[in-house]
Amino acid sequence: MKAVIQRVSKASVTIEGEKVASISNGLLILLGIVNEDAEEDIKWLSSKIINLRIFGDENDVMNKSLIDVGGDVIVVSQFTLHASTKKGNRPSYIKAAKPNIAIPLYEGFVKQIELDFGKSVQTGQFGADMNVELLNNGPVTIIIDSKNKE
């Protein structure tokens, strides 16, 4: 699993003109899934994100986690995170998991984040053409790959 985590002042997801998710202070998580991903990846990535100290403390030093600040979360599926641009100019998405594998893992990740965070999270819609709007705070953008735990 690969996640792009963006610390946001606000973020929203709109599908066919209807706003389906909206948060203020928190994290926008773009999530890409491959066939090899499993429950272990879900648990590790969720814990890592929830405990990531990327929010400012009283001295404006990044010492607080999402749990510490009580922020909100939007999770958006994004198969393009696994694009291969090695050959030619058209990206290949062959590494991205097909919906029959990706949807249960995506839903499992959302449930795990909610469990670890102790708060419900908002989502986009898997496979939909979404407009994602955000105001990146910092900017802080971090990429985490469960297959590269260094």
Side-chain angles (χ1 to χ4, degrees):
M1 271 181 189
K2 188 179 289 185
V4 174
I5 298 109
Q6 297 186 348
R7 186 180 74 182
V8 298
S9 297
K10 63 180 179 176
S12 64
V13 178
T14 304
I15 302 171
E16 295 180 3
E18 180 184 344
K19 193 174 283 192
V20 298
S22 180
I23 64 169
S24 54
N25 185 46
L27 297 178
L28 171 65
I29 303 169
L30 306 174
L31 184 69
I33 299 168
V34 294
N35 289 329
E36 298 78 26
D37 288 329
E39 186 72 24
E40 173 187 316
D41 297 282
I42 290 171
K43 289 181 178 179
W44 181 85
L45 188 58
S46 173
S47 177
K48 188 66 148 174
I49 291 170
I50 292 302
N51 293 295
L52 205 58
R53 296 182 347 182
I54 59 173
F55 291 90
D57 63 13
E58 56 281 347
N59 297 315
D60 208 23
V61 175
M62 287 195 279
N63 271 330
K64 293 191 172 192
S65 70
L66 183 66
I67 292 172
D68 296 331
V69 300
D72 293 313
V73 176
I74 295 178
V75 180
V76 175
S77 62
Q78 190 168 355
F79 73 92
T80 60
L81 292 180
H82 290 289
S84 173
T85 58
K86 191 173 182 176
K87 287 175 41 181
N89 293 319
R90 176 179 283 177
S92 167
Y93 304 106
I94 197 144
K95 290 182 185 178
K98 300 289 185 251
N100 63 318
I101 292 172
I103 291 172
L105 291 170
Y106 170 76
E107 291 172 350
F109 178 79
V110 170
K111 286 179 185 169
Q112 188 66 49
I113 284 273
E114 290 179 332
L115 182 66
D116 292 345
F117 189 29
K119 187 175 174 180
S120 64
V121 304
Q122 297 186 48
T123 65
Q125 180 182 330
F126 190 94
D129 186 12
M130 296 174 271
N131 290 318
V132 178
E133 190 173 7
L134 68 130
L135 181 57
N136 192 316
N137 182 343
V140 174
T141 302
I142 297 173
I143 301 169
I144 302 176
D145 191 333
S146 66
K147 302 296 188 248
N148 185 10
K149 296 177 182 169
E150 295 178 353

